[in-house]
Amino acid sequence: MLFNSYIYIFFFLPVSALIYFALNRYRLIQAGNAWLVLASLFFYAYWNPVFLPLIVGSMLVNYGIGTVLSRNAHGARGLRGGLSRKKILLFGIALNLGFLGYFKYANFFMVNLQWATGWELSALDLTLPLAISFFTFQQIAYLADSYHGLTEEYDFLNYCLFVSFFPQLIAGPIVHHKEMMPQFARLRGKVPHFRNIALGLSIFSIGLFKKVVIADNFAYWATMGFDHAASLQLIEAWGASLSYTFQLYYDFSGYTDMAIGTAYLFNIRLPMNFNSPYKAVNIQDFWRRWHITLSRWLRDYLYVPLGGNRKGETRTYVNLFLTFLLGGLWHGAGWTFVLWGAMHGLGTALHKGWQGLGLRLPRFLGWLLTFLFVHCAWVFFRARSFADAEKVFKGMLGLNGVTLPEWTASLLGPEGEGGLAFGKVLRGIEGGTDTVVWLLLFGLIAVLGKNSMEIGRNFRPNRWYSILVVALFVASVLHLTKMSEFIYFNF
């Protein structure tokens, strides 16, 4: 079920909220939580019911392992049967990673094994279960915290709600148990709160507009450039690549806004996942702003266990690089994702070395270099193959020529001189003046404007604000006829 669909907006969401608060009104608190779990599982199964047993089984197994680890966190190191707590933790992590690896990476491994050995291997008939990367990482964190004695003994119903809560189930934010469990148990959150409802609907409407009006329009030009154009000249390549850069931002931040807005309706506060990442002035700043909950997970459960910065300067650079390399692979089973992760790992290591020398760039230059680096890395993130990425980069470097508007012909000389041509400059991506306007307008908003969380912190509903929110919502609903999935649903 898509957030940007009629059935979600006008049926599933209001019915889920009404029944939840009705049960709570009659002091059926556990029934209310059980209803949210059932609604969340229905939301998940709506895509493909065959994967419902997988997420239910995952919750059962991880809750059982986590309970064993938590109960013995401050007791003896060994358990009955000679098993140590560490072995149980490693077993739980291996089980989760094996589950994720089989569905997400088995075919990738087989294709590369066939290439390396020449063996004839048949691809497995696998469909990637929805949200597997997100709920797997969430539960690995829970097991690790249980091992370290950082969790309480939560009841199974609240644990299921922590894993399956439908606003953040499919594409995050990747939540932490200590952020969510107390909120599910808080009695004050069991009754409707007008301010939370108003704030939730506002943030949801902003996110919906980001997705269906802004991101989906950018998606058209990006798709034409990356997937359909045989070659791209300079302006077309920059138009396509920038379209994807802003499509990805408005698509994923739009999803996160809708998730956070939906959660507010249930008096649940999800963690911030975006903080205007295209305002970043260095690559470290970017990762403190982009997909914040994933960055936090990679830091706490990968970078720190690898040794972090505690084992010398060289090891610190290696740990940074490995963390981003594996973060790239988490996003997708493909070498383009691995290269994207490697680029960010190398960039972060270089930035740390630059800082260590006490060097600083002027703020504007730092922002410009960071944006260009992130933008170029997104080309590999989007490209279906290295050939597609090469096509885009060749265009961005002007190796396929430059087409300028016809009115410039009298100023710049005859066609063909210096690789120049004159005509419709964005024909290859089926763009025009509107493409330029959208890139400038929404690029400036992403770089200079307030983000949804800043708007939420200063939320003061009034007549004009309400009119604006309603206008955004109506404009978005009118675009629901061309529904599309969110980009991060693929990860």
Side-chain angles (χ1 to χ4, degrees), residues 276-344:
S276 301
Y278 291 162
K279 295 179 182 179
V281 295
N282 58 61
I283 194 62
Q284 185 179 39
D285 187 26
F286 173 79
W287 280 104
R288 287 172 176 166
R289 294 168 173 269
W290 175 273
H291 207 341
I292 297 170
T293 56
L294 175 62
S295 300
R296 178 182 64 179
W297 193 99
L298 291 172
R299 180 197 66 202
D300 293 345
Y301 301 102
L302 187 56
Y303 175 69
V304 171
L306 284 172
N309 59 1
R310 304 185 307 275
K311 298 188 176 182
E313 189 174 4
T314 300
R315 181 66 180 272
T316 298
Y317 294 139
V318 172
N319 291 341
L320 279 172
F321 183 78
L322 287 176
T323 298
F324 280 99
L325 189 71
L326 293 172
L329 190 59
W330 175 86
H331 280 87
W335 288 111
T336 53
F337 289 109
V338 173
L339 179 57
W340 172 80
M343 288 177 67
H344 277 275

Side-chain angles (χ1 to χ4, degrees), residues 16-40 155 157-158 161 184 190 266:
S16 297
L18 286 171
I19 294 179
Y20 173 70
F21 287 119
L23 290 170
N24 290 333
R25 182 179 181 183
Y26 292 101
R27 302 185 183 280
L28 301 172
I29 306 300
Q30 287 295 86
N33 286 345
W35 165 253
L36 268 191
V37 172
L38 290 174
S40 298
D155 67 71
L157 191 59
N158 277 347
L161 194 51
F184 293 138
K190 302 301 180 181
F266 296 90

Side-chain angles (χ1 to χ4, degrees), residues 417-434:
E417 186 175 309
L420 286 179
F422 302 97
K424 188 176 180 182
V425 297
L426 294 171
R427 178 177 297 166
I429 63 172
E430 296 191 5
T433 304
D434 57 334

Side-chain angles (χ1 to χ4, degrees), residues 20 24 28-38 40 59-60 62-63 67 138-139 142 152-166 168 175-187 190 268:
Y20 173 70
N24 290 333
L28 301 172
I29 306 300
Q30 287 295 86
N33 286 345
W35 165 253
L36 268 191
V37 172
L38 290 174
S40 298
M59 290 190 294
L60 286 167
N62 280 287
Y63 178 74
T67 300
Q138 206 160 293
Q139 294 187 103
Y142 177 76
E152 301 174 16
E153 286 193 37
Y154 303 110
D155 67 71
F156 181 62
L157 191 59
N158 277 347
Y159 179 79
C160 289
L161 194 51
F162 156 65
V163 176
S164 67
F165 187 46
F166 70 87
Q168 52 78 216
V175 296
H176 200 278
H177 64 88
K178 66 183 179 182
E179 295 169 326
M180 303 303 292
M181 297 294 204
Q183 294 192 74
F184 293 138
R186 191 173 57 205
L187 293 178
K190 302 301 180 181
I268 299 295

